[in-house]
Amino acid sequence: MWTWIFGFFFAVFVGSQGVEIVNINVPKAIENGTVSSLVLDCDYNVPEDEKNGLVVKWYLRDIPVPVYQWIPGRKPQDLGLLKGKVNLEYRASEDYHKKYRSLNILNPTTELSGEYKCHVSTLEDEKEAKAIMTVYVVPKSVELWTVKPNPESVNVTCRVEGVYPEAKLELFREHGSFRTRAPVVGAVVQTSWRDGTYDITLSKTIEDRTLLSETTFDCVATIPGTDIQKTRRLTYLPAHLSTTTPTPEDKEPYTSPKSSERSAELSEEVEEIIEQTFSRRHNAPVPSEISQTESTSSPRNPRNLFLLAFSLLAILAR
């Protein structure tokens, strides 16, 4: 009697375990066009007394009908978006009840990105497990630039072209002596769809007076579902900080036109005095070294005037 009772409760306990999904293994991220095939696997355990009613199905995203179905004893079926894109001969196991449990997708493309759901059911129980796969496209270009719409402000623009899925664009700025980094809020985002990929533009106009020092802008593009992140950086100097006053060493001496004319007149007068004085004292023409004291590059300048005066004093002192 006790043996019968024990056997009854043991059977109830084992049967109550039902279907168990041990593991779901789905590639997290695959670059578009880089692999010829990939496998999505779903391992499970089913009680012996329930295996006759086993059905394995795969669903993609929120599509209500399965994209793959297999019933032991029958051929697997590819359906919907996966029609013609699954290797139906692929075997995940030699176990009769697990043989065609997996998806072997051929030449995966971006349209096959999304959440996959493995659904395992019997006549008594059912279980499901989910995982996301992203087939991505690396951006063709990521650019960051500035434009001055007026003297008092700057427009900062970041653009990403040819990316999938839609990338997340963020704009940051660093400023001050401690290079504090903060997000730029209020930026305008525009998104367009072209040839199966996204083009995204983010822009923000900032008044120069709000930038108290040289500022570094960072544009960060992140592809969801992947570890891929692209960054572009530029440095901007606000207009009110770019005007500098030249130092005394940088300033060129200024000579007015009237001053130059007066110097030339004085030089002529001194030369005349030298000639008269030298003639009276020596009855001879002025020596060539005195008459040639003018600079060939700049005659009648103050320097030559000084030399003529110095020569005159030397003559008078003889």
Side-chain angles (χ1 to χ4, degrees), residues 255-268 300 302:
T255 304
S256 67
K258 292 184 178 180
S259 175
S260 299
E261 293 175 1
R262 180 56 182 161
S263 297
E265 294 175 358
L266 291 175
S267 178
E268 292 177 354
R300 315 294 189 189

Side-chain angles (χ1 to χ4, degrees), residues 26-40 107-110 113 132-138 164-165 223-228:
V26 174
K28 178 183 177 182
I30 300 293
E31 184 175 355
N32 187 62
T34 60
V35 296
S36 59
S37 69
L38 53 82
V39 174
L40 285 67
N107 301 311
T109 56
T110 56
S113 294
I132 296 176
M133 181 180 75
T134 301
V135 183
Y136 65 89
V137 177
V138 177
Y164 186 90
I223 301 180
T226 74
D227 298 325
I228 297 176

Side-chain angles (χ1 to χ4, degrees), residues 70-91:
W70 173 60
I71 299 174
R74 300 182 184 180
K75 292 183 178 181
Q77 296 176 283
D78 51 351
L79 307 166
L81 283 177
L82 290 187
K83 186 69 175 179
K85 299 179 180 179
V86 178
N87 176 14
L88 299 178
E89 302 297 324
Y90 178 82
R91 296 185 180 187

Side-chain angles (χ1 to χ4, degrees), residues 24-27 40 58-59 114-118 129-133:
I24 182 170
N25 187 7
V26 174
L40 285 67
W58 282 87
Y59 292 85
E115 182 182 72
Y116 283 82
K117 179 173 65 177
C118 169
K130 302 176 182 179
I132 296 176
M133 181 180 75

